[in-house]
Every structure is written in structure tokens, then in C-alpha cells.
Amino acid sequence: NGKTNSGKDLAAGQYYYEVTIFFESSKRESTPTTIKGWVQIIR
């Protein structure tokens, strides 16, 4: 939504994100998946 965790607007610009997720599966251990990308905020 273009806001910080405290609710303030982020500045317009391009932001990089990276997230590592573990998908639930029937295996004992799941392999982590890392997703990286960019998002642009235009105001």
C-alpha cells in the first residue's frame, strides 16, 4: 500500500525486496525459496 509499518507514506521511488519462504509440504523438510524483485511507487 506504499506505507511504512507505522502508517507513513513511503517516498516515491524504486524499492528492492527479497523474501525467503518455506512452502508447507508433505515432506519432513521443505526447501526454502527466495524471491527477489523491484517495486516502484509513483505518487
Side-chain angles (χ1 to χ4, degrees):
N1 66 3
K3 296 186 183 288
T4 66
N5 291 339
S6 61
K8 295 181 181 178
D9 285 341
L10 289 166
Q14 196 167 16
Y15 292 85
Y16 175 78
Y17 67 87
E18 182 174 337
V19 62
T20 301
I21 55 175
F22 293 84
F23 290 102
E24 216 176 286
S25 70
S26 58
K27 297 178 185 178
R28 276 187 88 139
E29 293 183 26
S30 65
T31 304
T33 301
T34 301
I35 301 171
K36 302 173 186 178
W38 295 90
V39 63
Q40 186 173 12
I41 296 176
I42 301 171
R43 301 224 180 258

